[in-house]
Amino acid sequence: MSHPDPYGSEPRGWDRPERPVALPWPEQDLDAGQWSRRPTAGPELYADPHTRPYADPNPYDERGRTVRPDDASTRHGDPERHDEPGRYDEPGRYDGPPFDGPVRYDDDAGYPTAQLAPIGAEIAPDPEPVTEPEPPSGRRTKGRRRASVDRPATQQLGTGRAGRNLPAAIGVGLGLGALIVVPLVFYPLAFLAVLAGAVAIGMWEMARAVRRSGAHPPLVPLIAGGVLTVGLAWFAGPDALSLGLLVTVLGTMIWRLGDGPAGFQRDLTAATLIAVYVPFLAGFAALLAAAPDDGPLRILATLIAVVLSDTGGYAAGVSFGRHPMAPSISPKKSWEGFAGSVTAAALGSALLLWLMFEVAPWWGAVFGVAVSCAAVLGDLAESMIKRDLGVKDMSNLLPGHGGLMDRLDSILFAVPTAYLLLAIFVPVVN
Protein backbone atom coordinates (compact mmCIF):
# COMPACT_ATOMS: atom_id res chain seq x y z
CA MET A 1 0.00 0.00 0.00
CA SER A 2 1.51 3.32 -1.04
CA HIS A 3 1.63 6.19 1.39
CA PRO A 4 -0.10 9.48 0.57
CA ASP A 5 2.05 12.22 -0.80
CA PRO A 6 2.54 14.86 1.92
CA TYR A 7 2.92 17.58 -0.71
CA GLY A 8 -0.26 16.81 -2.63
CA SER A 9 -0.39 16.72 -6.36
CA GLU A 10 1.58 19.91 -6.94
CA PRO A 11 5.07 19.82 -8.48
CA ARG A 12 7.91 19.19 -6.04
CA GLY A 13 10.09 22.02 -7.20
CA TRP A 14 11.00 25.01 -5.08
CA ASP A 15 9.02 27.46 -7.23
CA ARG A 16 5.70 26.47 -5.74
CA PRO A 17 4.16 29.06 -3.35
CA GLU A 18 5.01 28.71 0.31
CA ARG A 19 2.09 27.63 2.44
CA PRO A 20 1.58 25.40 5.40
CA VAL A 21 1.19 21.75 4.53
CA ALA A 22 -0.61 19.26 6.74
CA LEU A 23 1.64 16.40 7.76
CA PRO A 24 0.40 12.83 7.29
CA TRP A 25 1.74 11.74 10.69
CA PRO A 26 0.81 13.14 14.14
CA GLU A 27 3.40 15.36 15.75
CA GLN A 28 2.69 17.11 19.02
CA ASP A 29 5.75 19.36 19.13
CA LEU A 30 6.04 20.28 15.44
CA ASP A 31 3.51 21.97 13.24
CA ALA A 32 3.41 22.65 9.58
CA GLY A 33 4.65 26.21 9.94
CA GLN A 34 7.96 25.07 11.39
CA TRP A 35 8.70 23.01 8.30
CA SER A 36 7.93 25.91 5.95
CA ARG A 37 10.96 27.95 7.07
CA ARG A 38 13.24 27.58 4.15
CA PRO A 39 14.94 30.37 2.20
CA THR A 40 13.56 31.29 -1.15
CA ALA A 41 16.44 30.51 -3.44
CA GLY A 42 17.02 28.77 -6.68
CA PRO A 43 17.21 25.02 -6.99
CA GLU A 44 20.99 25.18 -7.22
CA LEU A 45 21.20 26.07 -3.54
CA TYR A 46 20.08 22.64 -2.34
CA ALA A 47 21.22 19.26 -3.52
CA ASP A 48 18.25 17.35 -2.14
CA PRO A 49 14.77 18.90 -1.83
CA HIS A 50 13.89 16.48 0.99
CA THR A 51 16.83 17.51 3.18
CA ARG A 52 16.07 19.88 6.05
CA PRO A 53 17.96 23.10 5.36
CA TYR A 54 20.75 24.16 7.65
CA ALA A 55 20.68 21.00 9.78
CA ASP A 56 22.79 21.73 12.82
CA PRO A 57 24.81 18.70 13.89
CA ASN A 58 24.92 20.02 17.46
CA PRO A 59 21.45 19.58 19.06
CA TYR A 60 22.46 21.38 22.26
CA ASP A 61 23.00 25.04 23.07
CA GLU A 62 25.94 26.50 24.98
CA ARG A 63 24.31 25.66 28.32
CA GLY A 64 23.79 21.98 27.46
CA ARG A 65 20.01 22.28 26.90
CA THR A 66 18.26 20.50 24.07
CA VAL A 67 17.25 22.91 21.28
CA ARG A 68 14.11 22.38 19.26
CA PRO A 69 14.21 22.93 15.50
CA ASP A 70 12.54 26.34 15.81
CA ASP A 71 15.10 27.53 18.38
CA ALA A 72 18.05 27.57 15.99
CA SER A 73 18.53 31.26 16.62
CA THR A 74 19.34 30.65 20.29
CA ARG A 75 21.98 27.97 19.83
CA HIS A 76 24.96 30.22 19.28
CA GLY A 77 23.58 33.50 20.48
CA ASP A 78 21.86 34.73 23.60
CA PRO A 79 19.43 31.98 24.72
CA GLU A 80 17.03 34.52 26.16
CA ARG A 81 16.54 36.57 22.98
CA HIS A 82 13.88 34.59 21.22
CA ASP A 83 12.43 37.57 19.36
CA GLU A 84 15.41 38.21 17.10
CA PRO A 85 15.53 36.58 13.69
CA GLY A 86 17.82 33.58 13.45
CA ARG A 87 21.01 33.51 11.51
CA TYR A 88 19.50 31.04 9.11
CA ASP A 89 16.82 33.43 7.81
CA GLU A 90 19.01 34.87 5.09
CA PRO A 91 19.51 32.51 2.16
CA GLY A 92 23.04 31.20 1.70
CA ARG A 93 24.42 33.03 4.72
CA TYR A 94 25.85 31.51 7.87
CA ASP A 95 27.73 33.79 10.23
CA GLY A 96 27.70 31.66 13.39
CA PRO A 97 30.64 30.02 15.13
CA PRO A 98 32.12 26.90 13.63
CA PHE A 99 30.28 23.66 14.12
CA ASP A 100 31.31 21.17 16.76
CA GLY A 101 30.38 18.08 14.76
CA PRO A 102 32.51 16.23 12.22
CA VAL A 103 33.50 18.49 9.31
CA ARG A 104 33.15 17.07 5.83
CA TYR A 105 33.57 20.27 3.82
CA ASP A 106 35.83 23.28 3.45
CA ASP A 107 34.83 25.37 6.46
CA ASP A 108 36.58 28.43 5.01
CA ALA A 109 33.86 28.64 2.37
CA GLY A 110 31.22 29.22 5.05
CA TYR A 111 28.77 26.45 4.17
CA PRO A 112 27.30 24.54 7.05
CA THR A 113 26.94 21.26 5.12
CA ALA A 114 28.22 19.95 1.82
CA GLN A 115 24.64 19.64 0.57
CA LEU A 116 24.07 23.39 0.98
CA ALA A 117 27.19 24.38 -0.93
CA PRO A 118 26.48 26.00 -4.34
CA ILE A 119 27.22 24.07 -7.45
CA GLY A 120 30.85 24.46 -8.43
CA ALA A 121 32.09 25.31 -4.95
CA GLU A 122 35.41 23.77 -3.98
CA ILE A 123 34.81 21.18 -1.30
CA ALA A 124 37.69 19.57 0.53
CA PRO A 125 37.86 15.80 0.13
CA ASP A 126 36.76 13.63 2.98
CA PRO A 127 39.57 12.77 5.37
CA GLU A 128 40.77 9.22 5.57
CA PRO A 129 38.65 7.26 8.05
CA VAL A 130 40.41 6.40 11.26
CA THR A 131 40.09 2.71 11.94
CA GLU A 132 40.08 1.66 15.55
CA PRO A 133 42.33 -1.29 16.38
CA GLU A 134 40.35 -4.46 16.75
CA PRO A 135 40.32 -5.94 20.23
CA PRO A 136 42.25 -9.16 20.61
CA SER A 137 40.21 -12.28 20.16
CA GLY A 138 39.35 -14.38 23.15
CA ARG A 139 38.51 -13.48 26.71
CA ARG A 140 40.37 -10.63 28.32
CA THR A 141 42.55 -11.39 31.28
CA LYS A 142 41.40 -10.70 34.80
CA GLY A 143 42.35 -7.37 36.29
CA ARG A 144 42.06 -5.43 33.02
CA ARG A 145 38.33 -5.58 32.46
CA ARG A 146 37.64 -2.16 34.02
CA ALA A 147 41.02 -0.54 33.63
CA SER A 148 41.20 3.09 32.50
CA VAL A 149 43.45 6.12 32.83
CA ASP A 150 42.08 6.98 36.26
CA ARG A 151 41.77 3.37 37.35
CA PRO A 152 44.75 1.20 36.44
CA ALA A 153 44.52 -2.53 36.12
CA THR A 154 44.67 -4.45 39.36
CA GLN A 155 47.42 -6.96 39.79
CA GLN A 156 46.22 -10.46 40.51
CA LEU A 157 48.14 -12.70 42.85
CA GLY A 158 49.43 -15.53 40.74
CA THR A 159 49.13 -19.10 41.78
CA GLY A 160 51.52 -21.87 40.95
CA ARG A 161 50.92 -24.76 38.64
CA ALA A 162 49.57 -26.74 41.58
CA GLY A 163 46.76 -24.20 42.04
CA ARG A 164 47.94 -22.81 45.38
CA ASN A 165 48.83 -19.37 46.63
CA LEU A 166 52.34 -20.47 47.53
CA PRO A 167 53.36 -17.63 49.94
CA ALA A 168 50.14 -18.01 51.94
CA ALA A 169 50.47 -21.80 51.93
CA ILE A 170 54.04 -21.63 53.27
CA GLY A 171 53.10 -19.13 55.99
CA VAL A 172 50.10 -21.13 57.17
CA GLY A 173 52.12 -24.36 57.05
CA LEU A 174 54.84 -22.89 59.25
CA GLY A 175 52.23 -21.66 61.72
CA LEU A 176 50.59 -25.08 61.94
CA GLY A 177 53.99 -26.71 62.39
CA ALA A 178 54.84 -24.39 65.27
CA LEU A 179 51.46 -25.10 66.87
CA ILE A 180 52.35 -28.80 66.90
CA VAL A 181 56.06 -28.77 67.68
CA VAL A 182 56.04 -26.28 70.54
CA PRO A 183 53.61 -28.26 72.77
CA LEU A 184 55.39 -31.53 71.99
CA VAL A 185 58.76 -30.15 73.03
CA PHE A 186 57.80 -28.12 76.09
CA TYR A 187 54.57 -29.65 77.43
CA PRO A 188 53.35 -32.82 75.68
CA LEU A 189 49.98 -32.81 77.43
CA ALA A 190 49.16 -29.55 75.61
CA PHE A 191 49.44 -31.47 72.37
CA LEU A 192 46.32 -33.39 73.41
CA ALA A 193 44.37 -30.10 73.51
CA VAL A 194 45.69 -29.18 70.05
CA LEU A 195 44.73 -32.63 68.74
CA ALA A 196 41.24 -32.45 70.26
CA GLY A 197 40.67 -29.00 68.73
CA ALA A 198 41.82 -30.21 65.30
CA VAL A 199 39.44 -33.19 65.55
CA ALA A 200 36.50 -30.96 66.46
CA ILE A 201 37.19 -28.57 63.55
CA GLY A 202 37.67 -31.46 61.13
CA MET A 203 34.36 -33.07 62.13
CA TRP A 204 32.58 -29.75 61.74
CA GLU A 205 34.01 -29.34 58.22
CA MET A 206 33.03 -32.89 57.27
CA ALA A 207 29.47 -32.53 58.62
CA ARG A 208 29.14 -29.22 56.78
CA ALA A 209 30.36 -30.78 53.52
CA VAL A 210 28.14 -33.89 53.57
CA ARG A 211 25.05 -31.72 53.91
CA ARG A 212 25.37 -31.03 50.19
CA SER A 213 24.35 -34.64 49.61
CA GLY A 214 21.21 -34.24 51.72
CA ALA A 215 22.58 -35.97 54.85
CA HIS A 216 22.34 -34.16 58.20
CA PRO A 217 24.47 -35.98 60.79
CA PRO A 218 24.01 -34.65 64.34
CA LEU A 219 27.02 -32.49 65.10
CA VAL A 220 26.85 -32.29 68.92
CA PRO A 221 27.24 -36.04 69.67
CA LEU A 222 29.83 -36.36 66.93
CA ILE A 223 32.12 -33.67 68.34
CA ALA A 224 31.63 -34.84 71.92
CA GLY A 225 32.34 -38.46 70.97
CA GLY A 226 35.36 -37.48 68.86
CA VAL A 227 37.02 -35.55 71.66
CA LEU A 228 36.26 -38.45 74.04
CA THR A 229 37.80 -40.94 71.60
CA VAL A 230 41.08 -39.01 71.37
CA GLY A 231 41.24 -38.62 75.14
CA LEU A 232 40.64 -42.32 75.77
CA ALA A 233 43.40 -43.22 73.29
CA TRP A 234 45.83 -40.87 75.04
CA PHE A 235 45.20 -42.13 78.56
CA ALA A 236 44.07 -45.78 78.07
CA GLY A 237 45.68 -47.11 74.89
CA PRO A 238 44.43 -48.90 71.75
CA ASP A 239 41.54 -50.75 73.37
CA ALA A 240 40.07 -47.50 74.66
CA LEU A 241 40.37 -46.06 71.15
CA SER A 242 38.01 -48.72 69.78
CA LEU A 243 35.69 -48.21 72.74
CA GLY A 244 35.56 -44.47 72.02
CA LEU A 245 34.54 -45.14 68.42
CA LEU A 246 31.75 -47.46 69.55
CA VAL A 247 30.46 -44.92 72.06
CA THR A 248 30.49 -42.17 69.42
CA VAL A 249 28.46 -44.19 66.90
CA LEU A 250 25.91 -45.34 69.52
CA GLY A 251 25.54 -41.84 70.94
CA THR A 252 24.96 -40.43 67.47
CA MET A 253 22.33 -43.09 66.76
CA ILE A 254 20.41 -42.36 69.97
CA TRP A 255 20.58 -38.60 69.37
CA ARG A 256 19.31 -39.00 65.83
CA LEU A 257 16.25 -40.97 66.94
CA GLY A 258 14.76 -37.75 68.29
CA ASP A 259 14.43 -36.32 64.76
CA GLY A 260 12.16 -39.09 63.46
CA PRO A 261 12.63 -41.88 60.93
CA ALA A 262 12.90 -39.66 57.83
CA GLY A 263 16.46 -39.99 56.47
CA PHE A 264 17.66 -41.94 59.51
CA GLN A 265 19.79 -44.45 57.59
CA ARG A 266 21.38 -41.76 55.43
CA ASP A 267 22.26 -39.54 58.41
CA LEU A 268 23.61 -42.44 60.46
CA THR A 269 25.81 -43.61 57.57
CA ALA A 270 27.29 -40.14 57.20
CA ALA A 271 27.86 -39.88 60.94
CA THR A 272 29.64 -43.24 61.04
CA LEU A 273 31.89 -42.22 58.16
CA ILE A 274 32.85 -39.01 59.96
CA ALA A 275 33.47 -40.82 63.25
CA VAL A 276 35.81 -43.35 61.64
CA TYR A 277 37.53 -40.93 59.30
CA VAL A 278 38.39 -38.14 61.74
CA PRO A 279 38.54 -39.07 65.47
CA PHE A 280 39.35 -42.77 65.13
CA LEU A 281 42.28 -42.25 62.75
CA ALA A 282 43.43 -39.19 64.71
CA GLY A 283 43.43 -41.36 67.83
CA PHE A 284 46.57 -43.10 66.49
CA ALA A 285 48.37 -39.75 66.70
CA ALA A 286 47.41 -39.69 70.38
CA LEU A 287 48.78 -43.22 70.75
CA LEU A 288 52.08 -42.18 69.17
CA ALA A 289 52.47 -39.04 71.25
CA ALA A 290 51.48 -40.77 74.50
CA ALA A 291 54.17 -43.47 74.23
CA PRO A 292 56.46 -43.35 77.27
CA ASP A 293 59.93 -41.87 76.95
CA ASP A 294 59.97 -41.22 73.19
CA GLY A 295 56.35 -40.35 72.36
CA PRO A 296 57.10 -36.82 71.07
CA LEU A 297 59.88 -38.20 68.87
CA ARG A 298 57.53 -40.75 67.34
CA ILE A 299 54.91 -38.20 66.38
CA LEU A 300 57.61 -35.81 65.09
CA ALA A 301 59.15 -38.54 62.92
CA THR A 302 55.73 -39.31 61.44
CA LEU A 303 54.86 -35.68 60.75
CA ILE A 304 58.25 -34.95 59.22
CA ALA A 305 57.88 -37.96 56.90
CA VAL A 306 54.47 -36.66 55.78
CA VAL A 307 55.88 -33.17 55.19
CA LEU A 308 58.77 -34.61 53.17
CA SER A 309 56.30 -36.63 51.10
CA ASP A 310 54.12 -33.62 50.36
CA THR A 311 57.07 -31.36 49.58
CA GLY A 312 58.81 -33.89 47.33
CA GLY A 313 55.58 -34.65 45.49
CA TYR A 314 54.82 -30.96 44.98
CA ALA A 315 58.31 -30.16 43.64
CA ALA A 316 58.47 -33.20 41.35
CA GLY A 317 54.90 -32.73 40.12
CA VAL A 318 55.41 -29.08 39.23
CA SER A 319 58.76 -29.70 37.55
CA PHE A 320 58.29 -33.04 35.81
CA GLY A 321 54.60 -33.97 36.09
CA ARG A 322 53.37 -35.34 32.75
CA HIS A 323 51.38 -38.52 33.41
CA PRO A 324 48.24 -38.15 35.56
CA MET A 325 48.00 -40.61 38.41
CA ALA A 326 44.23 -40.52 38.97
CA PRO A 327 42.69 -38.00 36.53
CA SER A 328 39.11 -38.78 37.52
CA ILE A 329 39.84 -38.12 41.22
CA SER A 330 42.72 -35.64 41.38
CA PRO A 331 43.83 -34.37 37.94
CA LYS A 332 46.88 -32.52 39.31
CA LYS A 333 48.53 -35.59 40.81
CA SER A 334 51.04 -37.31 38.56
CA TRP A 335 53.17 -40.41 38.71
CA GLU A 336 56.25 -38.21 38.62
CA GLY A 337 54.98 -36.40 41.70
CA PHE A 338 54.30 -39.71 43.43
CA ALA A 339 57.86 -40.83 42.70
CA GLY A 340 59.13 -37.58 44.19
CA SER A 341 57.01 -38.12 47.31
CA VAL A 342 58.30 -41.65 47.88
CA THR A 343 61.91 -40.70 47.22
CA ALA A 344 61.93 -37.69 49.52
CA ALA A 345 60.16 -39.53 52.34
CA ALA A 346 62.43 -42.59 52.04
CA LEU A 347 65.67 -40.63 52.10
CA GLY A 348 64.58 -38.32 54.87
CA SER A 349 63.14 -41.06 57.06
CA ALA A 350 66.23 -43.24 56.66
CA LEU A 351 68.35 -40.48 58.13
CA LEU A 352 65.76 -39.37 60.66
CA LEU A 353 65.04 -42.78 62.23
CA TRP A 354 68.75 -43.56 62.40
CA LEU A 355 69.37 -40.34 64.32
CA MET A 356 66.30 -40.61 66.59
CA PHE A 357 65.94 -44.30 67.30
CA GLU A 358 69.16 -45.85 65.94
CA VAL A 359 67.17 -47.83 63.39
CA ALA A 360 69.04 -49.18 60.37
CA PRO A 361 68.75 -46.83 57.38
CA TRP A 362 67.05 -49.41 55.14
CA TRP A 363 64.32 -49.89 57.75
CA GLY A 364 64.00 -46.16 57.94
CA ALA A 365 63.60 -46.06 54.16
CA VAL A 366 60.88 -48.71 54.38
CA PHE A 367 59.15 -46.57 56.99
CA GLY A 368 59.34 -43.52 54.73
CA VAL A 369 57.98 -45.38 51.69
CA ALA A 370 55.05 -46.82 53.66
CA VAL A 371 54.18 -43.47 55.26
CA SER A 372 54.40 -41.72 51.88
CA CYS A 373 52.11 -44.25 50.19
CA ALA A 374 49.59 -43.95 53.03
CA ALA A 375 49.71 -40.15 52.84
CA VAL A 376 49.06 -40.18 49.08
CA LEU A 377 46.17 -42.61 49.55
CA GLY A 378 44.69 -40.36 52.23
CA ASP A 379 44.93 -37.37 49.92
CA LEU A 380 43.23 -39.30 47.11
CA ALA A 381 40.52 -40.55 49.47
CA GLU A 382 39.58 -37.04 50.53
CA SER A 383 39.73 -35.85 46.92
CA MET A 384 37.27 -38.57 45.99
CA ILE A 385 34.93 -37.53 48.83
CA LYS A 386 35.09 -33.88 47.78
CA ARG A 387 34.51 -34.73 44.13
CA ASP A 388 31.51 -36.85 45.07
CA LEU A 389 30.12 -34.01 47.18
CA GLY A 390 30.88 -31.39 44.53
CA VAL A 391 33.18 -29.19 46.65
CA LYS A 392 36.70 -27.95 45.95
CA ASP A 393 37.79 -27.48 49.56
CA MET A 394 36.25 -28.54 52.84
CA SER A 395 36.23 -24.88 53.91
CA ASN A 396 38.21 -21.67 53.46
CA LEU A 397 39.56 -21.62 57.00
CA LEU A 398 43.26 -21.68 56.05
CA PRO A 399 44.47 -19.31 53.29
CA GLY A 400 46.37 -21.20 50.62
CA HIS A 401 45.27 -24.57 52.01
CA GLY A 402 41.47 -24.54 52.06
CA GLY A 403 40.09 -26.23 55.15
CA LEU A 404 41.84 -27.96 58.01
CA MET A 405 40.76 -31.35 56.66
CA ASP A 406 42.62 -30.52 53.45
CA ARG A 407 45.81 -30.61 55.56
CA LEU A 408 44.82 -33.52 57.79
CA ASP A 409 43.84 -35.86 54.96
CA SER A 410 47.32 -37.28 54.40
CA ILE A 411 48.19 -37.26 58.13
CA LEU A 412 45.09 -39.22 59.11
CA PHE A 413 46.10 -42.15 56.88
CA ALA A 414 49.79 -41.89 57.77
CA VAL A 415 49.56 -42.08 61.60
CA PRO A 416 48.06 -45.63 61.76
CA THR A 417 50.80 -46.85 59.37
CA ALA A 418 53.51 -45.14 61.39
CA TYR A 419 52.11 -46.50 64.66
CA LEU A 420 52.23 -50.07 63.34
CA LEU A 421 55.74 -49.83 61.86
CA LEU A 422 57.25 -48.04 64.83
CA ALA A 423 55.75 -50.63 67.13
CA ILE A 424 57.80 -53.19 65.17
CA PHE A 425 61.02 -51.22 64.58
CA VAL A 426 61.10 -49.43 67.95
CA PRO A 427 59.20 -51.50 70.53
CA VAL A 428 57.63 -49.57 73.37
CA VAL A 429 59.23 -50.35 76.73
CA ASN A 430 56.85 -49.81 79.67
Side-chain angles (χ1 to χ4, degrees):
M1 178 178 179
S2 60
H3 297 282
D5 190 356
Y7 299 101
S9 58
E10 297 181 3
R12 295 189 180 184
W14 294 101
D15 297 332
R16 68 177 185 272
E18 296 291 338
R19 64 179 181 178
V21 179
L23 298 176
W25 56 83
E27 287 287 345
Q28 298 179 359
D29 298 333
L30 303 176
D31 53 12
Q34 295 174 353
W35 290 93
S36 61
R37 287 188 181 180
R38 51 176 64 91
T40 57
E44 69 277 359
L45 185 60
Y46 305 105
D48 187 1
H50 296 284
T51 304
R52 292 182 58 185
Y54 303 107
D56 193 346
N58 186 10
Y60 305 95
D61 59 7
E62 296 176 354
R63 298 186 180 183
R65 297 179 300 181
T66 304
V67 180
R68 294 172 55 185
D70 57 341
D71 294 335
S73 60
T74 64
R75 291 179 185 175
H76 303 292
D78 188 358
E80 304 298 334
R81 300 177 62 181
H82 297 281
D83 53 344
E84 293 186 0
R87 295 176 178 173
Y88 299 97
D89 291 338
E90 261 183 79
R93 180 175 177 268
Y94 174 76
D95 56 357
F99 291 93
D100 298 331
V103 179
R104 298 182 56 192
Y105 60 93
D106 188 1
D107 51 1
D108 295 335
Y111 305 112
T113 62
Q115 293 179 347
L116 299 181
I119 298 175
E122 295 183 359
I123 301 176
D126 293 343
E128 293 293 332
V130 179
T131 59
E132 296 291 337
E134 296 183 359
S137 60
R139 187 175 181 180
R140 290 180 290 183
T141 58
K142 293 183 179 180
R144 298 184 179 181
R145 191 174 298 278
R146 299 180 181 177
S148 62
V149 177
D150 300 329
R151 185 176 182 177
T154 56
Q155 298 294 331
Q156 300 289 332
L157 294 177
T159 57
R161 288 179 57 184
R164 293 185 189 179
N165 185 352
L166 195 56
I170 294 176
V172 173
L174 292 176
L176 293 177
L179 189 62
I180 294 173
V181 172
V182 171
L184 283 174
V185 173
F186 295 100
Y187 188 62
L189 189 61
F191 177 74
L192 177 61
V194 174
L195 185 60
V199 167
I201 295 175
M203 298 181 79
W204 169 76
E205 289 181 347
M206 286 290 296
R208 177 174 172 267
V210 299
R211 287 176 183 172
R212 297 177 62 92
S213 64
H216 296 276
L219 192 58
V220 174
L222 277 177
I223 293 180
V227 174
L228 177 64
T229 301
V230 174
L232 289 175
W234 181 281
F235 292 107
D239 295 337
L241 175 62
S242 302
L243 178 62
L245 175 62
L246 179 61
V247 171
T248 302
V249 174
L250 290 177
T252 305
M253 181 187 302
I254 295 173
W255 185 286
R256 178 59 183 80
L257 288 174
D259 294 335
F264 177 80
Q265 183 178 2
R266 177 189 56 199
D267 296 346
L268 187 61
T269 302
T272 305
L273 171 65
I274 295 173
V276 173
Y277 185 44
V278 184
F280 180 74
L281 295 181
F284 287 94
L287 293 175
L288 284 171
D293 297 333
D294 58 358
L297 294 180
R298 291 172 182 261
I299 192 68
L300 283 177
T302 304
L303 295 178
I304 291 174
V306 173
V307 171
L308 288 174
S309 176
D310 288 346
T311 305
Y314 177 79
V318 169
S319 302
F320 310 106
R322 295 295 182 272
H323 303 84
M325 184 178 181
S328 61
I329 299 176
S330 181
K332 294 181 180 179
K333 286 194 176 300
S334 61
W335 287 108
E336 292 81 2
F338 175 70
S341 298
V342 172
T343 303
L347 295 177
S349 298
L351 178 63
L352 196 62
L353 265 65
W354 179 68
L355 294 175
M356 286 183 175
F357 307 106
E358 297 182 356
V359 176
W362 51 85
W363 292 119
V366 171
F367 174 84
V369 170
V371 169
S372 177
C373 291
V376 171
L377 287 177
D379 199 356
L380 290 175
E382 199 207 19
S383 297
M384 185 171 59
I385 293 175
K386 291 189 296 184
R387 186 168 292 274
D388 182 64
L389 296 176
V391 296
K392 183 179 182 296
D393 296 320
M394 286 297 180
S395 69
N396 55 357
L397 190 62
L398 304 177
H401 291 270
L404 185 61
M405 281 299 299
D406 297 313
R407 296 298 91 205
L408 294 179
D409 52 0
S410 54
I411 297 176
L412 290 177
F413 274 60
V415 287
T417 306
Y419 176 79
L420 177 62
L421 293 178
L422 289 178
I424 298 174
F425 299 154
V426 188
V428 178
V429 179
N430 292 325

